[in-house]
């Protein structure tokens, strides 16, 4: 066609769709989190959060100290959904910020 201009970039996509956020906000845990009172002193909020904001996730019991344990972790990571990925990203962000402080 004689047009030498580069092709247009594809439109940017949001990391998570509006539907994802709408569904995530419907969960009982998220409703409880939204109503949690963060106005007390840090020690009180930390204690209450550790008691009241339990989400039922047992976390990972595997110690990452061998090739086998890392392989197992990687396989489990592949099964995570968008919400799990968001939680992991938020956790890593906080941990890395703590290293910088």
């Amino acid at each position: 066609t004689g047009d030498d201009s580069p092709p247009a970039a594809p439109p940017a996509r949001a990391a998570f769709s509006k539907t994802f956020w709408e569904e995530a906000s419907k969960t009982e845990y998220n409703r409880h989190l939204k109503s949690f009172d963060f106005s007390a002193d840090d020690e009180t909020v930390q204690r209450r959060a550790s008691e009241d904001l339990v989400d039922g996730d047992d976390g990972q019991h595997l110690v990452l100290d061998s090739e086998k344990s890392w392989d197992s972790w990687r396989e489990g990571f592949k099964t995570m959904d968008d919400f799990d990925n968001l939680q992991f990203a938020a956790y890593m962000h906080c941990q890395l910020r703590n290293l910088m402080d």
Side-chain angles (χ1 to χ4, degrees), residues 69-83:
S69 62
W70 276 102
D71 287 344
S72 176
W73 181 83
R74 282 185 202 99
E75 289 305 311
F77 196 82
K78 292 176 186 177
T79 65
M80 292 170 45
D81 61 17
D82 284 345
F83 191 69

Side-chain angles (χ1 to χ4, degrees), residues 16 20-21 24 80-91:
F16 299 101
F20 166 78
W21 290 111
M80 292 170 45
D81 61 17
D82 284 345
F83 191 69
D84 293 333
N85 290 332
L86 174 66
Q87 288 181 315
F88 179 73
Y91 170 78

Side-chain angles (χ1 to χ4, degrees), residues 21-34 83:
W21 290 111
E22 288 169 350
E23 290 304 312
S25 68
K26 292 178 186 175
T27 66
E28 182 64 31
Y29 176 76
N30 284 327
R31 283 194 296 273
H32 187 64
L33 178 61
K34 287 180 181 180
F83 191 69

Side-chain angles (χ1 to χ4, degrees), residues 25-59:
S25 68
K26 292 178 186 175
T27 66
E28 182 64 31
Y29 176 76
N30 284 327
R31 283 194 296 273
H32 187 64
L33 178 61
K34 287 180 181 180
S35 66
F36 186 79
D37 180 12
F38 289 94
S39 64
D41 62 277
D42 287 349
E43 186 176 322
T44 302
V45 170
Q46 289 171 357
R47 180 187 49 75
R48 284 186 30 250
S50 69
E51 295 168 356
D52 298 344
L53 296 179
V54 178
D55 65 0
D57 185 353
D58 289 332

